[in-house]
Amino acid sequence: MPSANVPSQAIGAPIPNNTPHAVSVTLPTWEATVGYEEGEDWVVTKMNSGYPRFFIHNDIQQLCKLLESSYARENEKCFIFPTYNIAKRCRAFIKEKAKTMNPSLEPAVRILQLSTPSPANSDEESTKIEANIAVVFFPSELFSLAKQYWQHTGEGISSRLGEYFLSEMKTKLQAESNNRSSSSTTSSHSPRTSRSSRSSISLSNMNNKQESATFIEERFGRNLDLRFAKDAKIILRERLASEYDHEYVDKDNVYLYPSGMAAIFNAHRAVLACSDDQDSKTLKSVCFGFPYVDTLNILRKWGAGVHFYGFGDDESLDDLELRLESGERILSLFCEFPSNPLLKTPDIIRIKQLSDKFGFYVVVDDTVGNSRNVNVIPYCDIVVSSLTKIFSGDSNVMAGCMVLNKKGKNYEKLKTFMDEDYEDFFWAQDAIYLERNSRDYQDRSSVMNKNAEAVLKLFLNSPLISKVFYPSVTSLESKKHYDIVKRENGGYGALMSIVFKDQIDAICFFNTIKLSKGPSLGTNFTLVCPYSILAHFKELDEVSKWGVDPNLVRLSIGMEKTEDLISLIDEALKAAQEQHEV
């Protein structure tokens, strides 16, 4: 492949290379992945990038430090959110969980709102926009609780918003900090910076990284005109609505979020709000199938709790039906279609039938299958999806969506709630990037499907591998459920997982393969990770009960030339085979 596409092997380097707002990060060896999970300095100190909900972007870190030096009280830290309402939710979470840990604890958690200046004239409208943030200050010993909210909900500010806020307000914040440190008395600060006050910072004052990023944007014709942000969001909603049957969805039922987890979290909030007060307080939800880790965290930490059916198979559904027939009620059922990383597909037809009979909400995450391949909207109340993945493909913007089924039995209640509650906090620059990235989404999905089918054959014939997880081969039961809702021209997606018989073979394969290695999926390039180690390192024994093997390697298949991709994977398999035979 061309040298420009050769992935970095440097620990902590962004994926793709030289991308300021990259979604993935290089962990080039099995040992480096373990080192990252164990917090070893030789890995952690090199992490210049990371998956945004887990790794706080450098611009956001810098902004937090400035805000703390300007406004924090003694022993306070902060997290930054895009709206006051989100900040209030974070504050409530910190207080509630802190009290659970220590009933006598009443932590002081406060919120500060700040804004950048609006454009002064029409000439500035292409480069300036009023950006609002809400800063949550809390005692430093509660940092881990605040970080949980940031990670689980996906509602923190995006790295581009952090970068923009710094570019507009850095000089002002530094002046505030300097005045504060030189003052003999601590002055009180206004809860909101005046919108009419102009920041004196200019482009020449931006750091070298921002100047470099700006040059790259203009050099390749992708400089952002902020006047197009509103139009980009309309186009995105129309584009997403067109992915589903018009009978069930129109653009007014599509809601954009800054991450897939924010869409899932707000879907759960919607279900809780639309239920009777007593039901929302007492009825548990169901997580059906082994999910991505934070979906389960959301269901566990907000609401009455969760019944976890980790296998997500027909037998599990039999058990759920018996539970319901015996009189137990549930609030909702959340599932992935298919699941990550085991690529199991639940019986969504039967789930809908149970929902109709017993009156619970159904929320389906179709990120892995993606709307090009499967049509799940007729069988649920809400579809959620991570647009960070295949819809974007470029691995340089985070986004998500929630889609309401306008023919669903709970539509009127959900629509009323969303009309009253929904806030558009999807940052303008991110919307412009996502709109551009997603223009060829349909074609890219088809290429990835074809490449995945070719790679699948290679793994099925390898004597080193004990199990291959992919929607067409995971099991006959799973394939049947997938095929029922597979679109006529759809495929089985880009994601697959393989389990090696011996860990030494898995390690050799992963360390040898000359492809990008890090978290995330759905990228235009193939991305590989030792998923169990990366996502469940501290609970390997627990997740193994659900079939998530420590020797599992997950591959998100990209758009490379098929013969090049097969050659690289075959080379790594042969290296593992040779080592195995020694």
Side-chain angles (χ1 to χ4, degrees), residues 400-469:
C401 70
M402 181 200 303
V403 181
L404 301 184
N405 174 1
K406 66 182 182 180
K407 294 186 70 175
K409 62 184 181 300
N410 297 303
Y411 172 71
E412 294 301 330
K413 289 188 290 185
L414 290 167
K415 182 63 175 171
T416 298
F417 171 78
M418 293 303 294
D419 286 346
E420 295 174 353
D421 182 83
Y422 177 70
E423 294 182 290
D424 178 5
F425 54 97
F426 186 37
W427 175 236
Q429 293 172 321
D430 292 325
I432 294 171
Y433 262 86
L434 185 63
E435 190 283 315
R436 288 173 174 175
N437 291 354
S438 62
R439 290 175 187 176
D440 60 350
Y441 160 60
Q442 299 179 5
D443 292 338
R444 288 186 289 105
S445 178
S446 296
V447 172
M448 292 176 186
N449 286 344
K450 292 176 182 176
N451 272 351
E453 292 287 351
V455 171
L456 177 67
K457 295 176 183 176
L458 193 61
F459 288 139
L460 289 174
N461 292 323
S462 173
L464 301 179
I465 295 171
S466 62
K467 181 69 176 176
V468 178
F469 294 104

Side-chain angles (χ1 to χ4, degrees), residues 324-364:
L324 295 168
E325 291 284 4
S326 70
E328 182 169 349
R329 296 173 59 215
I330 62 171
L331 186 67
S332 63
L333 183 148
F334 281 66
C335 66
E336 297 175 348
F337 198 97
S339 65
N340 172 22
L342 298 181
L343 286 305
K344 286 186 176 181
T345 306
D347 186 348
I348 197 170
I349 308 296
R350 187 176 167 199
I351 287 172
K352 183 184 187 304
Q353 291 169 348
L354 292 175
S355 168
D356 290 341
K357 182 176 180 179
F358 294 103
F360 57 85
Y361 292 79
V362 178
V363 181
V364 177

